[in-house]
Amino acid sequence: MGNDSSKHKSDVKTEKVGSEIEKASNPTLEAYFTRISDGKNEISAEKLKSIFQQDLSGSLMKYLTGDTNSNLVTHQQFMDKFTPLYGTSTDIYVKILQPVHHFLKVCSDSAGAGAIQGDEQFIKILVEEMTDGKTGDEATQSIIRWRRENCEKFTQAVQNRVVSAVTDTKIINPDYSSDILSPLQMWYLQSSLPAVYFPAKPTETSGESHWTPLYTSLQHGISTNRFETLVFDYRGPTVTIFRMKDGRVVVIAADQEWRHSGNRFGGTFTSFFEIVPNIRRIDGANSIYCNLKLRSSAYGLSFKNELKIEKDFDEILDIEVWGCAGAGTLADQQKLKNWQKQQTEKHKRVPLPGNWDDNPDKTLLEMAGFQFSTERAQMEMESKKRDAQAAYVEAATASETSEK
């Protein structure tokens, strides 16, 4: 019995030693350490600072060494502590970048969306939202919960920054510029939205935006006609930012295309954000109402009870709309607009029995929630017809050539 106990202890010890050997000989970590240490046996504080600058390097040094006064990261310390920094969870960055203002600064700077003059009040409210008024370890746990529930990608940029250094890959930060939001506010907004609002393929050119500008009042003025012309028929998610005359800055993230309707629309990823003067988020399907044209239904634009805008957009100081489905969707929208223009020219020459927009049959269908799409279907049908005719001509030409 004593021999069995001794053998069990020996097996446990062997497994522990084996685990430590395996950890120490991890080829991926070895390659990371070699790259960041320039082949030396340790990483100096000066080296970390040259890679990550003061704010992030100090936090990494403290985390890796466990000592606020240490100036060197040993090989063993790196092997023991680095793996969580490139794991699937980014909670580790919430923990090592405290206190909260330091955390916010490092994350936003890593994204290329550092604070500018005028962001002071937004930062104050954001910090209160994240910490829920708590301090110390309780604040850290509150921030972790807040990030998971409200702003999942908040720590993504700082992790990308660390991983890019050890893998020797380039970071591509998008442009967070906006006519209404500061870069910090735009980054916060984008970090809060799900994957459906971003193209499948990431941008490949530094400085490009995730999104395509569709309409901005700075360039196009505030006009319901321009809003309809430039935003409707964009078949993808959009983000619409409003600066209101009452001082609020609010956002509607719509995962369905804008249209005139007597019913509310919007899928499960539809959200409303208030950015100024408070920070709030409300999610909800079937929450957007937009009717600027149908005489049979109430005019206006709204999101539940949070936002109400009259038909003439009188309550708005500035507005901008971003398309979130990539360049291909914008091209499809333009094709449809060009086709509609051609049809308008055609109809000018061929009198039609009445105005289809005022036709009671169309109004009844739209009141019932029918999304009218015959124009798109007709355009696609005409395109297929042209393709078929071209194929027929090509086949006939080939046949004649072979007979000769």
Side-chain angles (χ1 to χ4, degrees):
M1 188 171 176
N3 290 337
D4 290 341
S5 175
S6 176
K7 184 176 182 299
H8 175 70
K9 290 179 181 178
S10 176
D11 289 343
V12 170
K13 185 176 180 181
T14 301
E15 288 177 5
K16 184 177 180 182
V17 171
S19 176
E20 289 176 353
I21 292 173
E22 183 180 357
K23 184 191 295 183
S25 61
N26 184 316
T28 300
L29 284 179
E30 289 287 357
Y32 292 168
F33 181 81
T34 299
R35 181 173 291 116
I36 207 169
S37 68
D38 293 332
K40 298 177 181 178
N41 293 326
E42 64 277 317
I43 306 168
S44 68
E46 289 73 20
K47 178 62 177 179
L48 279 183
K49 193 183 297 184
S50 70
I51 299 172
F52 300 111
Q53 286 76 55
Q54 179 64 47
D55 287 340
L56 179 54
S57 67
S59 297
L60 289 175
M61 176 64 73
K62 181 180 176 182
Y63 164 70
L64 292 170
T65 64
D67 184 355
T68 56
N69 297 316
S70 179
N71 290 316
L72 290 174
V73 179
T74 67
H75 175 272
Q76 190 60 52
Q77 287 171 337
F78 185 90
M79 301 301 285
D80 288 342
K81 302 289 283 292
F82 190 80
T83 297
L85 296 178
Y86 66 96
T88 54
S89 171
T90 57
D91 288 347
I92 185 66
Y93 290 98
V94 181
K95 297 173 182 176
I96 70 174
L97 293 175
Q98 292 305 305
V100 61
H101 285 88
H102 177 68
F103 166 71
L104 175 56
K105 184 179 188 303
V106 172
C107 289
S108 58
D109 285 350
S110 297
I116 60 174
Q117 188 174 359
D119 276 332
E120 294 84 0
Q121 184 64 16
F122 177 76
I123 290 172
K124 178 184 176 185
I125 296 172
L126 184 59
V127 166
E128 291 172 356
E129 284 288 313
M130 288 192 290
T131 62
D132 195 26
K134 297 178 173 62
T135 58
D137 291 341
E138 288 186 344
T140 302
Q141 293 305 314
S142 178
I143 296 169
I144 289 173
R145 287 192 298 271
W146 174 86
R147 186 196 67 81
R148 291 177 179 175
E149 295 171 4
N150 299 288
C151 204
E152 192 171 359
K153 295 190 287 292
F154 200 87
T155 46
Q156 190 62 57
V158 68
Q159 185 185 55
N160 291 345
R161 185 175 167 191
V162 170
V163 172
S164 72
V166 297
T167 58
D168 197 26
T169 54
K170 186 179 180 181
I171 300 177
I172 300 176
N173 281 327
D175 179 9
Y176 293 106
S177 62
S178 163
D179 292 337
I180 299 175
L181 301 181
S182 71
L184 179 65
Q185 292 168 337
M186 179 62 101
W187 165 69
Y188 157 76
L189 174 63
Q190 293 196 12
S191 297
S192 302
L193 290 170
V196 70
Y197 286 92
F198 302 93
K201 292 183 179 180
T203 178
E204 295 180 357
T205 304
S206 179
E208 286 187 354
S209 173
H210 288 302
W211 299 336
T212 304
L214 300 180
Y215 168 62
T216 170
S217 56
L218 192 66
Q219 178 181 350
H220 304 110
I222 296 177
S223 163
T224 54
N225 288 334
R226 297 297 285 168
F227 181 79
E228 179 183 0
T229 300
L230 297 171
V231 178
F232 283 36
D233 295 315
Y234 181 86
R235 300 187 73 181
T238 56
V239 168
T240 305
I241 306 169
F242 301 94
R243 191 198 309 276
M244 309 298 293
K245 289 183 179 178
D246 64 7
R248 291 188 301 161
V249 174
V250 298
V251 178
I252 293 178
D255 61 358
Q256 294 179 356
E257 63 183 286
W258 283 91
R259 56 186 181 269
H260 299 296
S261 176
N263 293 317
R264 293 188 176 274
F265 60 90
T268 54
F269 297 109
T270 298
S271 299
F272 171 87
F273 294 84
E274 182 176 331
I275 306 295
V276 175
N278 301 303
I279 296 177
R280 294 190 301 132
R281 173 181 182 165
I282 296 171
D283 302 322
N286 299 317
S287 49
I288 301 173
Y289 181 85
C290 182
N291 175 34
L292 309 174
K293 191 172 185 180
L294 303 177
R295 297 179 181 177
S296 55
S297 300
Y299 290 127
L301 185 158
S302 66
F303 187 99
K304 294 186 176 181
N305 295 321
E306 302 301 324
L307 178 68
K308 294 185 185 299
I309 298 172
E310 298 299 325
K311 179 186 176 183
D312 57 7
F313 283 8
D314 225 16
E315 300 87 346
I316 301 172
L317 283 176
D318 293 296
I319 179 174
E320 64 181 13
V321 185
W322 298 85
C324 309
T329 303
L330 185 64
D332 291 342
Q333 182 200 34
Q334 191 56 52
K335 285 179 185 176
L336 180 58
K337 294 297 182 185
N338 292 338
W339 183 87
Q340 289 169 335
K341 187 176 180 180
Q342 293 171 3
Q343 297 306 303
T344 300
E345 294 299 322
K346 238 188 241 185
H347 294 161
K348 283 180 181 177
R349 298 189 294 270
V350 182
L352 295 176
N355 185 343
W356 177 237
D357 284 328
D358 294 331
N359 189 299
D361 291 335
K362 181 182 180 186
T363 300
L364 287 172
L365 288 171
E366 288 173 326
M367 287 177 65
F370 182 77
Q371 184 180 344
F372 215 78
S373 57
T374 55
E375 287 185 341
R376 194 182 300 276
Q378 190 175 345
M379 180 187 73
E380 292 172 354
M381 190 179 297
E382 288 183 4
S383 177
K384 289 178 181 177
K385 186 177 179 181
R386 286 195 300 272
D387 291 343
Q389 288 174 341
Y392 174 78
V393 171
E394 185 179 347
T397 303
S399 177
E400 290 176 5
T401 303
S402 63
E403 287 176 3
K404 291 178 182 179

